[in-house]
Amino acid sequence: MTELAQYVASGLVVGAIYGLIAIGFTAVYNVTGIVNFAQGDFAMLGALGAIGLTAAGVPLAPAVVLAALAVGLAGVVIERVAIRPAGPDVLRGIIITIGVGVSLQGVAVLVWGTDAQPLPAFSGEKPIDLAGVTVPPQALWVVGTAAALMAGLYLFFARTYLGKAFRACAINAFAASLMGIPTSAIRALSFFVSGLVGAIAGIIVAPIALMQYDSGIFLGIKGFVACIIGGFGNPIGAALGGLALGLLEALATGYLSSGYKNAIAFVVLLAFLFARPGGILGELEGAKR
Amino acid sequence: MTRVALLAAALAAVYFSGSGYLVNLAVVTALFALPALGLSLLMGYTGQISLGHAAFVGLGAYASAILAKSLGLDPWLALALAVVATTAVAWGIGWLVFRLRGHHLAMATLAFGIIVHVATVEMKGLTGGQDGLSGIPPLSVFGLELGTDRAVFPLAWLACIAAILLAENLVRSPAGLTMRAVAENEAVAASFGIAPDALKRRIMAISGCYAALGGAIYGHYLGYISPGPFDVGFSIRLLLMVALGGFAGIWSVLFGVVFVVVTSELLKPFGRFDVVIYGVLLVVVMIYCPRGLLDGLGLAARALGRRLAGARAAE
């Protein structure tokens, strides 16, 4: 029983990260119709940025905030420079975001080299015992931050004026522009949100999992799988998809073998792509028709 | 045909220039051109994205090397078997992934590429893991071992020219028209009686065959393979070559391959800087020259010419 609880705990921690990255995917996809293949690299960049700032002597908290904001702004710049001029073509969008991801990885190699970098844990390394389940304190940070961020985003989308404009663009950008919503500003905002959320995901997981220039690819694919499970059009579904994937991975690692960990994500990806490409909660697309 | 003659003349000039460096670059170009041409048939002419093409190169290289080294088959037989097997795998993968399109297809092929890469790293008993396989027997013709740049040069380029001619033939044939119809609009193509999925699978198989041939020759020529060269980065470099060539265009894709090979040589002194250049190049080409670098430069030159002419007229 304790064993199971232990696996569930570690699965939820990893799943929270996948969920955050998945939310980044949906923020961009719903507004622009683009799947951002550089999403995982936002997480990598955020983590390495925070690591670089702390190494330069900046205290942890401002370093985290600065790195996350910087990646969010980088997202805005990327949207303006690379995404907007390319138009709505799917194939071009994919290849351009891949190009952006490769460039970000290249920059990361130039700045931080190819070695994995550690970030100090936010509140020490001493494991915490929760009713027989031991977790590192960072795990609580991960789950807490993810939950707070998801709740904050939910309130933003559901309650604020800007959030409503955002959702209007997601449902129908043309109609939204007729209602006076500045759609290109909302597109930029979607990239800011996705960069910010992605960077925070990368930063909070960095003390548990070492980060290096190519860590983004795997995080990106896991986030995409989470979106596939939960549905691309639906941020809540994507977050739940992330948790489900994290749990599946942790249980598979625990009961089968750690070698299967990455295979699980791909098996789930392929199974869902073939059986339910709309995800469990379905796409917003379905509701549109 | 004149293009092939020109290419042959250029190759002969390289071969007899006496420069080992140029011959080596030419061999590398030929071995990259095979998978790039295959990807162009799939992406450019049939409109189906693949982000896992390095996997087919790797499968061809590993299958041929293992058959020749562990089973002791004649390298030529191993090469033929490896290419046939990879072609079959590509057909089967096509059967799986072409139920998907757009973003989903891209992600599924990316996942396939990573699965194969991880498998080559993890299946240590068969592939030697990260250490790779060494001592792969070279191909030989009448007792002459094709293990050096100069020896493998004719084989690599004969294979490449054959691939070019076959691809040109395919593109010109009625099948080529159906490929472009499917790329343009699947529903319309289907309404003409074309079966899009069957066609895509067949092109995927041809594409995999090209990639495997390149990989198999590479393995026997170097005598050593490791998982490193067949990772996602290589898939993306193939994508860049095809994008620089404007996706659809056998000869312009060959130009894209030459461009990437030469650029990576020029960037070697700058260490890891090449990755940034590749990424930026991919973005710039996709935005400003969707029909390839040559076409984009041609357009820019003409626009510049017009502006100069306009300035002269204004004087």
Side-chain angles (χ1 to χ4, degrees):
Chain A
M1 201 55 218
T2 329
E3 203 184 37
L4 179 67
Q6 184 78 49
Y7 296 147
V8 168
S10 63
L12 287 178
V13 172
V14 185
I17 299 298
Y18 298 162
L20 284 182
I21 292 174
I23 289 178
F25 270 114
T26 62
V28 166
Y29 177 76
N30 282 329
V31 175
T32 64
I34 286 170
V35 170
N36 180 13
F37 278 71
Q39 187 66 44
D41 297 306
F42 284 166
M44 174 274 297
L45 209 58
L48 290 182
I51 290 165
L53 285 172
T54 49
V58 181
L60 188 64
V64 168
V65 174
L66 276 178
L69 284 177
V71 175
L73 290 178
V76 174
V77 172
I78 287 166
E79 195 275 332
R80 186 68 199 84
V81 175
I83 311 291
R84 205 182 298 178
D89 186 78
V90 170
L91 198 66
R92 281 176 94 186
I94 295 172
I95 298 175
I96 285 176
T97 54
I98 289 174
V100 168
V102 171
S103 314
L104 293 180
Q105 286 168 30
V107 170
V109 170
L110 290 181
V111 178
W112 291 282
T114 52
D115 294 334
Q117 309 269 336
L119 183 69
F122 293 2
S123 43
E125 304 280 354
K126 194 170 166 293
I128 301 172
D129 189 78
L130 292 173
V133 180
T134 33
V135 291
Q138 188 65 27
L140 298 182
W141 274 104
V142 169
V143 174
T145 313
L149 203 55
M150 286 173 190
L153 282 173
Y154 176 77
L155 288 177
F156 170 71
F157 284 129
R159 295 270 186 272
T160 66
Y161 195 72
L162 200 56
K164 281 179 185 162
F166 198 95
R167 283 192 295 143
C169 276
I171 292 166
N172 188 327
F174 181 65
S177 74
L178 290 180
M179 299 299 124
I181 294 171
T183 42
S184 54
I186 298 287
R187 283 172 68 102
L189 178 69
S190 79
F191 267 83
F192 179 75
V193 169
S194 111
L196 188 76
V197 174
I200 292 175
I203 294 169
I204 57 178
V205 81
I208 303 178
L210 292 175
M211 281 296 203
Q212 61 198 42
Y213 74 104
D214 61 353
S215 305
I217 301 176
F218 268 96
L219 285 174
I221 291 180
K222 300 288 173 65
F224 183 88
V225 175
C227 289
I228 294 288
I229 296 176
F232 244 99
N234 189 326
I236 300 170
L240 292 178
L243 290 177
L245 179 64
L247 278 176
L248 256 176
E249 270 194 10
L251 293 176
T253 314
Y255 289 115
L256 295 173
S257 134
S258 61
Y260 287 102
K261 186 185 160 210
N262 286 328
I264 286 289
F266 295 119
V267 171
V268 171
L269 171 68
L270 294 176
F272 267 91
L273 283 178
F274 297 131
R276 289 289 315 256
I280 293 175
L281 298 194
E283 285 203 40
L284 209 60
E285 303 276 328
K288 270 193 239 174
R289 285 189 206 108
Chain B
M1 228 42 221
T2 44
R3 283 174 168 174
V4 175
L6 282 175
L7 177 65
L11 289 173
V14 167
Y15 192 70
F16 294 110
S17 68
S19 157
Y21 179 66
L22 282 183
V23 172
N24 175 266
L25 278 191
V27 169
V28 171
T29 306
L31 294 182
F32 280 166
L34 283 165
L37 287 170
L39 188 60
S40 165
L41 289 176
L42 186 69
M43 274 190 77
Y45 289 98
T46 323
Q48 306 302 312
I49 193 168
S50 166
L51 302 179
H53 241 58
F56 296 126
V57 186
L59 283 175
Y62 269 98
S64 190
I66 291 169
L67 286 174
K69 195 189 164 202
S70 308
L71 293 185
L73 293 184
D74 181 78
W76 288 105
L77 181 62
L79 182 132
L81 285 177
V83 170
V84 170
T86 309
T87 307
V89 169
W91 191 89
I93 292 295
W95 184 79
L96 273 178
V97 298
F98 288 136
R99 293 146 190 252
L100 310 166
R101 38 185 59 78
H103 301 119
H104 295 126
L105 177 62
M107 218 24 120
T109 51
L110 182 64
F112 164 70
I114 293 178
I115 290 171
V116 171
H117 179 69
V118 170
T120 53
V121 175
E122 294 296 332
M123 294 167 73
K124 295 193 180 66
L126 199 59
T127 63
Q130 284 291 13
D131 300 335
L133 282 177
S134 55
I136 303 165
L139 298 162
S140 57
V141 180
F142 303 120
L144 173 70
E145 291 196 339
L146 306 180
T148 62
D149 291 340
R150 296 191 73 82
V152 85
F153 181 95
L155 170 72
W157 274 103
L158 278 179
C160 190
I161 288 173
I164 289 172
L165 292 177
L166 287 174
E168 275 198 312
N169 213 9
L170 177 70
V171 170
R172 263 200 314 264
S173 72
L177 285 178
T178 61
M179 284 158 68
R180 265 171 284 191
V182 168
E184 210 59 50
N185 190 324
E186 256 177 59
V188 172
S191 78
F192 292 154
I194 300 167
D197 286 354
L199 179 81
K200 290 184 212 163
R201 285 197 292 273
R202 248 174 270 149
I203 302 303
M204 186 74 150
I206 295 174
S207 188
C209 171
Y210 275 35
L213 184 61
I217 296 177
Y218 168 87
H220 288 292
Y221 144 68
L222 277 189
Y224 167 75
I225 48 175
S226 64
F230 310 115
D231 61 356
V232 181
F234 183 43
S235 288
I236 291 173
R237 242 175 337 145
L238 287 175
L239 187 68
L240 175 64
M241 292 170 186
V242 177
L244 286 169
F247 294 100
I250 305 295
W251 291 93
S252 53
V253 167
L254 191 62
F255 162 79
V257 177
V258 173
F259 186 89
V260 170
V261 169
V262 172
T263 324
S264 61
E265 278 305 308
L266 294 178
L267 289 175
K268 251 185 195 158
F270 302 100
R272 306 298 296 249
F273 202 63
D274 56 343
V275 183
V276 184
I277 299 286
Y278 289 149
V280 171
L281 207 56
L282 201 51
V283 173
V284 169
V285 166
M286 285 312 290
I287 295 176
Y288 297 104
C289 344
R291 297 177 55 182
L293 189 61
L294 276 181
D295 182 75
L297 290 179
L299 284 180
R302 250 168 285 157
L304 190 69
R306 269 200 302 277
R307 186 166 293 180
L308 287 180
R312 218 169 292 140
E315 272 169 21

